[in-house]
Amino acid sequence: MKAPAAPHQPAFRRTRPDARRLALIEACARVLARAGAAGASVRAIAVEAGVSPGLVGHYFSGIEALVAATYAHVEGAVAETLDHAVAEAGPEPRARLDAFVTASFAPAIADPQLLATWIAFWSLVAARPAIAAQHDEQYSGSRARLEALLAACGVPAERQRRDAIAVSALVDGLWLELCLSPGCFSAEEAGDIARRFLDTLIS
Amino acid sequence: MKAPAAPHQPAFRRTRPDARRLALIEACARVLARAGAAGASVRAIAVEAGVSPGLVGHYFSGIEALVAATYAHVEGAVAETLDHAVAEAGPEPRARLDAFVTASFAPAIADPQLLATWIAFWSLVAARPAIAAQHDEQYSGSRARLEALLAACGVPAERQRRDAIAVSALVDGLWLELCLSPGCFSAEEAGDIARRFLDTLIS
DNA sequence: ATGCTTGTTGGACGATCGTACAACAACGCG
DNA sequence: CGCGTTGTTGTACGATCGTCCAACAAGCAT
């Protein structure tokens, strides 16, 4: 008794290359969040994405390139979230700056699972010059946005660079500690600390 | 023709357990500095320490326990270096605080190779509750030292906790970025930023 | 000197890793 | 409808991983 003339359900579907690439990146981010850098293997990511292990090598030269692409994607999503928070804050420059730091500690950003992507990426910076260059590029982009927010608040040009480095470092340090031990201090405290620091820069 | 009665050079030497344990920890730190978290395997560490691979399992329950012990040891050495710098600064409270942040960016501390130990440890925090607890303990110890330095500068008691969190975050953020991309800004700039922040806290 | 304790060795073991590759099939095009 | 392109599969491969353990030997006690 053969199966009736089923419409030959395809064993897999072809996808537009950029969509498949994005699916692999998102699967990588989920695996990193769940299992950490040590658990982010080609096979685990392929299972998460629902594809065969061999497909990873078809889109990325190796697991490191996939991690780098995942970092770039997640960092872009974070930047977009922050930009959105800034835009919602209205036109007042100081309110926009406050919105930036406040959003930096919101649950969606200060997320221990998100930190796993950063750690996996950082672990490659020292050994891979190309990844170090990518980090420099993304860091300078993030700092440039911060400089613009500071400039709008009247920070003189000759201090913008240094103040942006300072704010970035303070926010990143608070963010890191908030991810590593969420019970030590609250997101509200972190926001208060950062906003008070902005007071001293702008005053 | 047998070999002459050589004094039977021992194939290995027994060592006091704590000394051997320390040797393994220091070997782990060197491997982490050279090869990163991904290259810190039991075998690589054993070769670095000049012992057999099996000995690692004899002193540590696993590679994660060795990494945790290595972090504790390196963190202790860093704290000792900073304490030494503070002690050399003399009795003046503000000078001691300045010495603390300045030493935090000295080449021996803001070292990309040192960051590898931190990253390897951080990558375990999310998944291992015991390691998260160790991180909380070492962080609160570091913050307590900072609170004492701030208190000596006249920071009122009700602000000591928050200001210590702030200084710690700023210094850590600068330190992290200094390690990740040493060419972006200098240790002197980082020290200037941190000391200027202290001005606003103490004033 | 002799025996005992135990630090130490070195390899075996199964699991898992990243990568490569030949075969297959889904889909666009003629 | 048939053909060619190529996204996709599944597996094989060698390397390396962490762990385990029986045997060995260094050093201490007697």
Side-chain angles (χ1 to χ4, degrees):
Chain A
M1 199 88 82
K2 279 187 67 176
H8 182 60
Q9 179 171 316
F12 61 90
R13 289 190 309 159
R14 301 179 90 128
T15 312
R16 290 189 11 252
D18 53 347
R20 183 70 83 186
R21 195 182 146 90
L22 181 61
L24 286 171
I25 285 173
E26 290 172 338
C28 179
R30 286 193 302 271
V31 171
L32 282 170
R34 184 204 314 138
S41 67
V42 169
R43 285 170 177 80
I45 294 166
V47 168
E48 177 70 30
V51 299
S52 144
L55 199 59
V56 175
H58 194 264
Y59 283 97
F60 299 93
S61 65
I63 202 82
E64 296 184 354
L66 175 50
V67 168
T70 301
Y71 173 79
H73 178 256
V74 174
E75 214 267 354
V78 168
E80 194 176 351
T81 300
L82 295 180
D83 284 347
H84 186 257
V86 168
E88 273 201 333
E92 216 283 309
R94 178 56 204 269
R96 294 164 66 85
L97 200 45
D98 280 355
F100 177 87
V101 303
T102 302
S104 295
F105 306 124
I109 306 290
D111 177 7
Q113 298 193 336
L114 217 56
L115 177 61
T117 297
W118 262 254
I119 289 176
F121 181 77
W122 287 341
S123 71
L124 303 175
V125 168
R128 315 288 164 184
I131 292 194
Q134 177 183 339
H135 169 266
D136 289 359
E137 190 180 350
Q138 302 210 221
Y139 173 72
S140 72
S142 155
R143 209 184 60 199
R145 282 194 298 275
L146 207 39
E147 284 183 15
L149 290 174
L150 288 167
C153 287
V155 171
E158 70 272 13
R159 273 180 39 201
Q160 283 168 16
R161 171 188 139 87
R162 205 199 53 202
D163 286 359
I165 293 174
V167 172
S168 179
L170 180 62
V171 170
D172 288 352
L174 290 167
W175 171 82
L176 179 63
E177 191 56 37
L178 212 47
C179 289
L180 284 173
S181 46
C184 188
F185 55 88
S186 68
E188 287 73 23
E189 272 185 296
D192 287 344
I193 289 170
R195 282 187 296 270
R196 204 170 299 246
F197 180 51
L198 293 176
D199 288 338
T200 71
L201 294 179
I202 293 170
S203 67
Chain B
M1 196 87 80
K2 280 188 64 175
H8 181 59
Q9 179 170 316
F12 60 90
R13 288 192 307 159
R14 301 179 90 127
T15 312
R16 290 194 7 255
D18 53 346
R20 183 70 83 184
R21 195 183 147 89
L22 181 62
L24 286 171
I25 285 172
E26 289 172 339
C28 179
R30 287 194 299 272
V31 171
L32 281 171
R34 184 203 316 136
S41 67
V42 169
R43 285 170 176 80
I45 294 166
V47 168
E48 177 70 30
V51 300
S52 140
L55 200 58
V56 174
H58 194 264
Y59 281 96
F60 299 93
S61 64
I63 202 86
E64 296 183 354
L66 175 51
V67 168
T70 301
Y71 173 79
H73 178 256
V74 175
E75 213 269 354
V78 167
E80 194 176 352
T81 301
L82 295 180
D83 285 347
H84 187 257
V86 168
E88 273 202 333
E92 216 283 309
R94 179 55 205 267
R96 293 164 66 85
L97 201 44
D98 280 355
F100 177 88
V101 303
T102 303
S104 296
F105 306 123
I109 305 290
D111 177 7
Q113 297 193 337
L114 216 55
L115 177 62
T117 297
W118 262 254
I119 289 175
F121 181 78
W122 287 342
S123 72
L124 303 175
V125 168
R128 315 288 164 186
I131 292 193
Q134 176 183 340
H135 169 266
D136 289 359
E137 190 180 350
Q138 302 209 224
Y139 173 73
S140 72
S142 156
R143 208 184 61 198
R145 283 194 297 275
L146 207 39
E147 283 182 16
L149 291 174
L150 287 167
C153 287
V155 171
E158 69 271 13
R159 274 180 37 200
Q160 283 168 16
R161 172 188 138 87
R162 207 198 52 203
D163 285 358
I165 292 174
V167 173
S168 178
L170 180 63
V171 170
D172 289 353
L174 290 167
W175 171 81
L176 179 63
E177 192 56 37
L178 212 47
C179 289
L180 284 174
S181 46
C184 187
F185 55 89
S186 68
E188 288 72 23
E189 271 184 298
D192 288 343
I193 289 171
R195 282 187 297 270
R196 203 170 300 245
F197 180 51
L198 293 175
D199 288 337
T200 71
L201 294 179
I202 292 171
S203 68

